[in-house]
Amino acid sequence: LSLAQKKIKYLLVDGTGRCKVKNLKKLKQAREDILRLTAASPALMGQFGFTCLGTGAVYDLMDNRRMMPTDNFRRTCFEPASKLNAAAYAKTYSPRKYGCLGCHILCKKIGKKEDQPLAMPEFETMSHFTALIGCMDTDLVVEANKLCNNLGMDTISAASTLACRREITGIDYTPENVLSLLEDMALGKGEGKDLGQGARLYAKKMGEPQTAMAVKGMELPAYDPRGAYGMALGYALSTRGGCHLRAYPISHEIFRKPVATDRFSFSGKARIIKIAEDLNAIVDALIACKFTFFAAGLEEYASVFEAVTGIETSAQDLLKKGERIYYNERIINALNGFDANDDDLPKRFFTNAGSSGNNISIPPIDRDAFLNAKRKYYDIRGLTANGLPLKEKAETLGLLWNNL
């Protein structure tokens, strides 16, 4: 969005040649270590893992754990889910493995229909274009995914905005209606002009702001926070809004990697979220894949960094760099007027229960417990009680201070 505001469509980077690796032998050893660790991970390389089913492997799991956002987060279980899972796509589209250059996990999937190649949707797209908006058509999900990709729209935000509209108007969707509205959103035509502003602004204009399931204006992904309290904290505290990837607590709360934590407790979550934010900041800076961190860790990537650059580096060195990145983002947010009031969830999650079942109870999130965990996070992160950065902490991290 920042680039779009500056009228920048793309950046072209040119170079004079390949970067020289300082220690090729050490790099090969680090690579072998990462390959060995990921090969031993069932979540990544197992029969029902990402390499075989893509991220859609999570679809059944989220519904079974009673945390699949349904009907705009009014429920957390979608009864037709078993017919719309990754296995259903595999049967219909016979997908083949595909992925980033050089990757051995290959979590992407390319299917085909009538001999035409089709990009298979990721988990969040599968979930939001079915359960969230009340549709049961895999062909629609594939077409919506294709349309959003071609038009440059995020599938999570697009589907969430449509779910908001459905709750406000009470009108269910047909596949044709969904695809038509998506195109109108991208082109700013008719009702799409308002929908294209996102759920928060659309709901506000419609006089129903409580129906926008967003944090800091960013629509929430396909993990209901009532079913994972670390996720609740991660959504609220993320510097870019309701994002699951800034801390990705699903890894330990649901996948139990690297160790399992109690998903219905805030105990210890403030520190876990802070460390995870720092870790994922450096993972992004290294342009590494978050999925490999289900198995490998910063120790292996510190070896990679040292081998390539020749700079002696430990896992803690990388984590400290991640902390600098994330604290700098808090400074940027503060300069733009964000404070503790923005580090919050929609009220629905504190007042309405989810869909209990399978001997799993999904009560509303305890508001006092959430606020207490947020206060602990501020203290651990080195922020004021209002969620603002401190000059002393910024200087300790070697960051510029702009007289907040």
Side-chain angles (χ1 to χ4, degrees):
L1 291 178
S2 177
L3 292 175
Q5 188 66 29
K6 295 179 174 69
K7 308 297 184 185
I8 297 174
K9 189 170 184 179
Y10 64 88
L11 298 174
L12 178 64
V13 179
D14 198 8
T16 58
R18 302 179 69 177
C19 294
K20 291 184 178 180
V21 174
K22 198 73 174 180
N23 188 333
L24 186 58
K25 183 179 179 180
K26 185 180 180 70
L27 177 61
K28 287 182 177 179
Q29 181 59 55
R31 179 179 181 272
E32 288 176 7
D33 289 341
I34 293 170
L35 289 175
R36 173 176 50 80
L37 289 167
T38 53
S41 170
L44 296 177
M45 308 301 290
Q47 181 182 357
F48 302 105
F50 288 177
T51 190
C52 291
L53 297 176
T55 59
V58 182
Y59 192 89
D60 282 320
L61 182 61
M62 290 302 106
D63 188 63
N64 182 268
R65 294 295 183 267
R66 315 300 280 197
M67 54 184 294
M68 178 174 280
T70 303
D71 296 338
N72 199 30
F73 289 86
R74 285 175 287 173
R75 299 191 300 122
T76 60
C77 178
F78 190 50
E79 288 73 16
S82 62
K83 299 178 181 179
L84 301 165
N85 56 17
Y89 286 84
K91 183 177 180 180
T92 303
Y93 299 103
S94 304
R96 59 179 174 83
K97 295 180 181 180
Y98 179 76
C100 301
L101 182 65
C103 180
H104 60 293
I105 299 173
L106 301 176
C107 67
K108 307 290 185 185
K109 299 290 170 279
I110 302 294
K112 62 180 179 180
K113 190 170 185 180
E114 298 176 355
D115 294 325
Q116 293 297 313
L118 293 167
M120 292 292 96
E122 300 283 347
F123 159 65
E124 283 80 12
T125 308
M126 290 170 58
S127 181
H128 271 12
F129 274 105
T130 56
L132 197 71
I133 65 171
C135 289
M136 294 169 282
D137 187 340
T138 56
D139 285 341
L140 166 63
V141 180
V142 172
E143 285 302 314
N145 183 61
K146 178 182 177 181
L147 193 59
C148 285
N149 287 340
N150 289 343
L151 295 173
M153 294 197 298
D154 178 70
T155 56
I156 295 174
S157 290
S160 187
T161 304
L162 290 179
C164 177
R165 175 189 180 272
R166 177 171 176 252
E167 180 176 347
I168 292 172
T169 64
I171 301 173
D172 288 334
Y173 291 118
T174 65
E176 295 75 19
N177 190 216
V178 169
L179 297 176
S180 176
L181 283 170
L182 287 175
E183 189 165 333
D184 288 348
M185 288 166 68
L187 301 178
K189 293 167 52 181
E191 189 180 0
K193 188 173 184 180
D194 290 331
L195 290 169
Q197 298 300 308
R200 184 176 67 87
L201 293 181
Y202 173 78
K204 182 179 179 181
K205 181 169 184 178
M206 297 295 288
E208 302 281 353
Q210 75 283 356
T211 61
M213 297 296 103
V215 173
K216 300 182 182 75
M218 178 179 275
E219 294 81 5
L220 299 182
Y223 309 92
D224 194 292
R226 286 166 292 199
Y229 292 1
M231 192 79 264
L233 208 55
Y235 281 157
L237 295 166
S238 169
T239 49
R240 68 171 182 176
C243 176
H244 60 300
L245 295 174
R246 279 298 190 255
Y248 206 64
I250 291 298
S251 63
H252 53 85
E253 291 186 315
I254 301 299
F255 300 149
R256 299 172 174 268
K257 303 294 180 183
V259 294
T261 62
D262 183 355
R263 65 185 178 116
F264 294 113
S265 172
F266 283 110
S267 178
K269 297 294 173 69
R271 187 172 298 278
I272 291 173
I273 293 299
K274 186 269 181 189
I275 293 172
E277 288 171 342
D278 296 345
L279 183 146
N280 283 294
I282 195 62
V283 169
D284 288 341
L286 291 170
I287 321 178
C289 173
K290 285 183 169 63
F291 292 155
T292 61
F293 282 79
F294 286 176
L298 282 183
E299 291 82 1
E300 287 73 36
Y301 278 88
S303 295
V304 170
F305 185 83
E306 183 174 322
V308 172
T309 65
I311 302 171
E312 186 175 341
T313 306
S314 68
Q316 287 302 312
D317 292 333
L318 291 181
L319 200 60
K320 180 59 70 174
K321 289 179 171 63
E323 183 180 16
R324 292 181 74 245
I325 292 169
Y326 213 82
Y327 205 83
N328 196 46
E329 291 180 4
R330 295 290 310 199
I331 291 174
I332 293 170
N333 276 10
L335 288 169
N336 284 278
F338 289 90
D339 60 22
N341 292 321
D342 300 290
D343 292 336
D344 211 344
L345 295 171
K347 292 181 180 179
R348 176 169 299 173
F349 300 119
F350 302 108
T351 58
N352 298 359
S355 307
S356 298
N358 293 342
N359 294 317
I360 301 171
S361 177
I362 308 291
I365 298 171
D366 185 299
R367 178 74 176 166
D368 290 337
F370 169 82
L371 292 175
N372 185 50
K374 191 169 80 164
R375 283 191 291 268
K376 289 180 179 178
Y377 171 89
Y378 287 163
D379 184 56
I380 294 166
R381 175 61 76 189
L383 304 170
T384 70
N386 198 30
L388 299 175
L390 292 165
K391 181 179 181 180
E392 296 78 10
K393 179 67 176 181
E395 291 177 344
T396 299
L397 293 172
L399 296 170
L400 294 174
W401 186 253
N402 292 297
N403 297 317
L404 289 174

